[in-house]
Structures are given as C-alpha cells and as structure tokens.
Amino acid sequence: MSKIQLKNSFEEIVSVENLLQAWKEFEVGKKNRKDVQAFAVFLMDNIFSLHEQLIKHTYKHSGYQAFKINDPKPRDIHKASVRDRLLHHGIYRMLYPFFDKTFIADSYSCRISKGTHKSINRFEEFGRKVSKNNTRTCWVLKCDIKKFFANIDHKILLSILRKYIPDKNVLDLLENVIESFCEKDKNGVGLPLGNLTSQLLVNIYMNEFDQFAKHKLKAKFYIRYADDFVFFSQNKKELENLILVVENFLQNKLKLSLHPEKVFIKTLSSGVDFLGWVHFPTHRILRTSTKRRMFRSLRKNAKDESLQSYLGMLKHGNAYKLSEKIKAYSDSMLLKL
C-alpha cells in the first residue's frame, strides 16, 4: 500500500460532468471523423447512456479495430470505439494529475511539460556533469525494452494500481479497460498502442523500475523515455555490472526483457544515439535514418506545414546545414508540382 492514495471516487470519474469535459478534450482535432460525428449527433443521449451503464456496473468495453502504421517502424495500432475512447479520456483526466506526482523527475514520455526536447536537453546536461565539462570520460549505458506495450502483464499492472487506489469500483473499471485487450495467443498480456489510458498505464508500470533505479541502484544520472533509458557514469565497469541487475529486476518484477540488440555501453565522445539524435559532448546531430525519413516524407508531401515542423525540430540540434538543405529540397519539390 502506497502512502499516497487516489482521492477521486468512482462516482467522480463516471459523472456526467467529467464525461462531458472529457468529450470536449477528446473531440479536439477529430470533429471531421465520421464515427465522432455520428456519436456527436446524439451526444447527451450517448453520455447519459454511458454514465448509466457505468453507475449500474453493466458497462463492458467493446472490441478494437486494428490497423498498421509506420512510425518509423511498422506498428500495430488498435482503435477502440468512440464511446470507449471517451471513457478513456474521462479516466485519464482524473488519474493523470495524481499519478504524475508519483513519477520521478527524469521520466519524460507522455507527461505534461516533459517530452523529447526536455529529455534530450537533460541528456546533454548529464553528459556535461558526468564528464566534468568534457574533462573526464563519460560512459553511457543505453537500454531498450523488447516489445514494450505487447508485454505489459495485466496481473502485475493491477497489483501496482491496488497500491494507490483504495476504491474497488475504480479498480474494477480499470480492470475492465485493461482486460479489454490482449496480444494474440497471450492471455492477460499487452496494452493497445491506440488507447490514451495505455500511455498512462505504461508509465505507472515502469515507475516501479524508475523508483528502483533511483532509490535502490542510487542512479543519480538516469533518464527514461517510454521504453528507452540511459545511465551515465565515469566508470565503465559499474555500467557493465548494472546490465544484469536491470535485466533481473525487469524480468522478475515486471516480466519484461531488454532488447538484446539495443543494449550498449559507449563513450559520449564516440556519439550516443538517443531519441532520434546522436549526442556528442559539445553538440548533437540528427540520426541518419531520421534524415532519410524526413526527405522521404517531403518527397510524398511537400506542404509548408510539414517543412515547418521539420525545421522546428532541427532547431533542437546542430543542424543548420541540414535545415538549409531541406529548404532547398522542399523548394525544388514545389517547383515540380
């Protein structure tokens, strides 16, 4: 049992007020979608109906529509119905502010006022500190979890949630959402990439490891973004010894495995690949595969908003020449249209 407990009651989470507020947030950027429009035609009827099912405990999460995306590697996305996604937003609105306070400062994925840019800036800061302003060798252990979302164990996740949530009805509701999905041939394992709740639930799951890293391993220089995490040290041996300890914790406590091809220890001066950038002591450059993807994308879609979003991203690294190259490339593509 955690010292801090979720104060929000089941009644607050499933209230018409919360569902209405959740709808306002959910429909942003989705008003032109047919399924969203169909739900909106009888919005209040649909919200009252959902509320009644929840209050009477007759609500059952429906199935998912599966499709693939390339982002940049192929991913299986599972999309729930509008009714279920509305509920996900309602749950998220109440749970996120509470759980966010339980997370460590250096977990950056899917958190308000965190994100990739803050994460890579922190990476740079840690590199400076550990290398004593580039006067010492800074070693970085980089790890990646194998099939992260697909291997989240439902029983373990629910046992973690029980530590923080005293209301049995809230736990039953979360169990309904969690158990609505599992990987093929794997009962009770996996979360769908498409759910808003999944983003929060994987952070709650991995917070167990974050706390272990900070409090048991006493890792002062540790950053996690989703299933990517790094440890910094002046001592290579120390990092080598960490690998087995990390592996054992993930396997025994969370039933997760490290990706064997994505675990390495490198010096910062040789360049460390983290979140799309290759980091050096004095600068960072864009990963080659990311560069290729950018040009490929511009070939398909030379619109100004695509160009501006790439130029905005490149401002976060040492990429003046690349920015100029992309502008020239985009201009040449537009001339061909």
Side-chain angles (χ1 to χ4, degrees):
M1 188 69 69
S2 163
K3 283 176 191 166
I4 56 165
Q5 301 275 286
L6 179 75
K7 298 272 195 297
N8 303 91
S9 67
F10 175 73
E11 287 70 26
E12 276 179 273
I13 294 171
V14 305
S15 68
V16 171
E17 292 79 7
N18 185 44
L19 293 173
L20 259 174
Q21 210 43 54
W23 174 259
K24 285 179 191 167
E25 292 164 17
F26 167 74
E27 69 168 350
V28 174
K30 301 185 189 81
K31 287 181 183 178
N32 294 332
R33 295 184 191 168
K34 282 182 181 163
D35 55 350
V36 175
Q37 286 174 343
F39 193 90
V41 172
F42 302 104
L43 180 63
M44 288 318 296
D45 286 353
N46 285 326
I47 284 180
F48 279 120
S49 165
L50 175 59
H51 167 72
E52 192 180 352
Q53 286 174 16
L54 290 162
I55 283 291
K56 289 182 174 174
H57 306 289
T58 57
Y59 166 81
K60 192 83 188 103
H61 197 292
S62 46
Y64 291 85
Q65 180 193 341
F67 57 96
K68 289 186 185 297
I69 61 161
N70 287 306
D71 173 39
K73 56 188 177 188
R75 292 182 191 276
D76 292 314
I77 301 291
H78 292 85
K79 184 176 159 189
S81 68
V82 172
R83 176 195 74 140
D84 294 329
R85 282 185 286 152
L86 166 59
L87 176 62
H88 299 165
H89 272 258
I91 292 170
Y92 184 89
R93 293 188 75 249
M94 293 286 177
L95 265 59
Y96 174 82
F98 166 76
F99 276 104
D100 193 61
K101 293 190 191 92
T102 71
F103 299 154
I104 65 164
D106 287 314
S107 141
Y108 288 89
S109 170
C110 300
R111 292 181 67 191
I112 294 162
S113 70
K114 295 280 183 182
T116 48
H117 300 318
K118 291 265 173 78
S119 183
I120 59 178
N121 289 340
R122 188 67 157 161
F123 188 102
E124 189 182 309
E125 186 191 328
F126 280 178
R128 265 200 316 274
K129 283 183 176 173
V130 174
S131 68
K132 307 275 188 221
N133 281 333
N134 308 323
T135 60
R136 303 274 175 86
T137 301
C138 171
W139 293 92
V140 180
L141 165 62
K142 162 93 165 45
C143 300
D144 182 298
I145 291 167
K146 195 176 178 184
K147 294 188 175 169
F148 184 37
F149 277 76
N151 284 308
I152 301 292
D153 185 281
H154 295 180
K155 272 187 189 163
I156 295 171
L157 176 56
L158 287 162
S159 73
I160 296 166
L161 291 168
R162 273 185 216 108
K163 293 195 289 189
Y164 296 96
I165 301 173
D167 189 327
K168 187 184 179 300
N169 287 328
V170 176
L171 285 166
D172 287 346
L173 178 60
L174 288 170
E175 186 170 359
N176 197 334
V177 173
I178 292 163
E179 298 291 354
S180 69
F181 177 87
C182 62
E183 285 294 316
K184 280 178 205 157
D185 312 321
K186 275 185 169 183
N187 257 346
V189 179
L191 290 178
L193 272 167
N195 284 7
L196 177 64
T197 45
S198 297
Q199 296 172 5
L200 175 60
L201 292 170
V202 293
N203 267 341
I204 294 168
Y205 202 78
M206 279 304 286
N207 185 47
E208 299 291 298
F209 177 71
D210 295 339
Q211 300 297 337
F212 173 74
K214 295 302 286 180
H215 302 298
K216 290 283 189 289
L217 301 178
K218 302 275 190 275
K220 199 174 169 188
F221 303 104
Y222 162 80
I223 298 168
R224 183 177 65 82
Y225 188 97
D227 55 345
D228 280 343
F229 55 91
V230 283
F231 293 88
F232 296 73
S233 177
Q234 287 178 10
N235 186 333
K236 186 185 183 186
K237 191 85 190 119
E238 186 183 285
L239 294 180
E240 284 171 349
N241 294 339
L242 261 187
I243 297 173
L244 193 59
V245 179
V246 163
E247 234 167 4
N248 284 341
F249 181 90
L250 290 171
Q251 189 62 59
N252 298 335
K253 300 285 183 187
L254 301 174
K255 291 193 180 170
L256 295 172
S257 318
L258 291 177
H259 199 301
E261 289 153 34
K262 293 183 181 175
V263 174
F264 60 76
I265 297 174
K266 286 181 84 174
T267 61
L268 189 56
S269 55
S270 68
V272 176
D273 191 328
F274 183 60
L275 301 183
W277 294 88
V278 181
H279 302 258
F280 294 90
T282 54
H283 64 289
R284 62 175 89 105
I285 59 171
L286 205 60
R287 187 193 286 162
T288 308
S289 59
T290 310
K291 266 187 248 180
R292 282 201 204 104
R293 196 166 72 248
M294 230 160 33
F295 282 107
R296 244 194 336 265
S297 173
L298 283 169
R299 214 175 296 135
K300 287 180 196 164
N301 176 10
K303 283 182 187 166
D304 190 53
E305 53 262 41
S306 301
L307 173 67
Q308 294 311 322
S309 73
Y310 287 136
L311 293 176
M313 182 184 79
L314 292 173
K315 282 179 187 164
H316 294 277
N318 303 74
Y320 174 76
K321 282 182 183 170
L322 183 58
S323 294
E324 293 304 302
K325 203 171 166 183
I326 276 181
K327 281 181 206 167
Y329 183 78
S330 182
D331 289 344
S332 73
M333 291 305 291
L334 285 168
L335 286 171
K336 286 176 189 175
L337 293 176

